[in-house]
Amino acid sequence: DVELTFLSPIVNDLGLWVILVPAVGALVAYIIVRFVSNDDRIRGSGEIVRSVAMRRGRVSRRKVVGHAAAPIVSVGSGGSAGREGAMVQLAAATSMLASLFSGASVRRRKVLIAAGGGAAIAATFNTPIAGVIFAMEVILIEWSTRAFVPLVVASAMGTLVENASTPAARSPEGSEPGPARRQARTPAPGAEPR
């Protein structure tokens, strides 16, 4: 049985801060999007899709900064904006800058942007295959063998880096063991526990 009880902000230990901090965070996020990005709402990964499809893989730095910073402020203050949009924006912007510095062709720039977005999705949700599918279907809007290998590598690396940087991944005691490890730890009936 799960019992749900409503706690008024007045009864809560944090008091009215429970309401004020997320509200101020939402206001700051709106101001960032409005004045830094010169936009009226956060567009998330839709901006990346538009840049690949219509702008030869060029992403506006100003929009990327605003659309990435706003969700960070919102989530940091207790708001409900998802982190994947900001991560896709930052990864795609980093990929775009890397492609511009390396002098990559437009085709390779698009693949690099998709690889950054796929790695961000893979790292966010710990799903490398979903990162590849997201990059191929949503960002590139095409399936090609030339793009597949870089997307698989980027998504796998995104997942590996995220798992390596998570404390639970470094200490097996901090994470829930899988069925094989759980079974190995369970003593046989009548056996002496370790």
Side-chain angles (χ1 to χ4, degrees):
D1 268 336
V2 176
E3 184 179 324
L4 300 175
T5 56
F6 174 75
L7 282 179
S8 168
I10 297 168
V11 179
N12 192 312
D13 291 341
L14 298 174
L16 289 176
W17 291 109
V18 171
I19 296 173
L20 291 176
V21 171
V24 169
L27 178 65
V28 170
Y30 174 76
I31 290 169
I32 289 171
V33 168
R34 185 74 182 116
F35 296 108
V36 173
S37 297
N38 201 20
D39 214 342
D40 56 350
R41 65 185 179 96
I42 296 175
R43 298 196 187 276
S45 56
E47 185 66 27
I48 304 304
V49 173
R50 257 189 303 287
S51 77
V52 168
M54 298 180 190
R55 295 187 214 116
R56 299 173 49 120
R58 292 205 180 253
V59 183
S60 165
R61 278 178 257 163
R62 186 175 171 164
K63 284 191 178 196
V64 166
V65 168
H67 287 284
I72 290 170
V73 168
S74 178
V75 170
S77 63
S80 63
R83 62 182 180 164
E84 68 278 352
M87 287 185 65
V88 170
Q89 289 270 351
L90 288 173
T94 304
S95 300
M96 182 198 68
L97 291 175
S99 71
L100 291 175
F101 286 131
S102 67
S105 66
V106 172
R107 172 77 183 134
R108 287 197 175 148
R109 182 182 316 136
K110 289 180 178 182
V111 171
L112 277 172
I113 290 172
I121 291 295
T124 301
F125 298 112
N126 197 22
T127 54
I129 295 172
V132 173
I133 293 171
F134 173 81
M136 292 284 254
E137 288 191 353
V138 176
I139 297 178
L140 285 180
I141 314 173
E142 67 179 81
W143 285 84
S144 70
T145 309
R146 275 191 168 170
F148 186 72
V149 173
L151 296 178
V152 167
V153 170
S155 294
M157 290 307 294
T159 303
L160 287 173
V161 168
E162 170 60 24
N163 286 337
S165 65
T166 304
R170 287 192 296 262
S171 65
E173 297 83 30
S175 62
E176 178 63 30
R181 282 191 37 217
R182 199 178 308 118
Q183 200 173 34
R185 280 197 216 164
T186 308
E192 192 77 21
R194 292 193 247 179

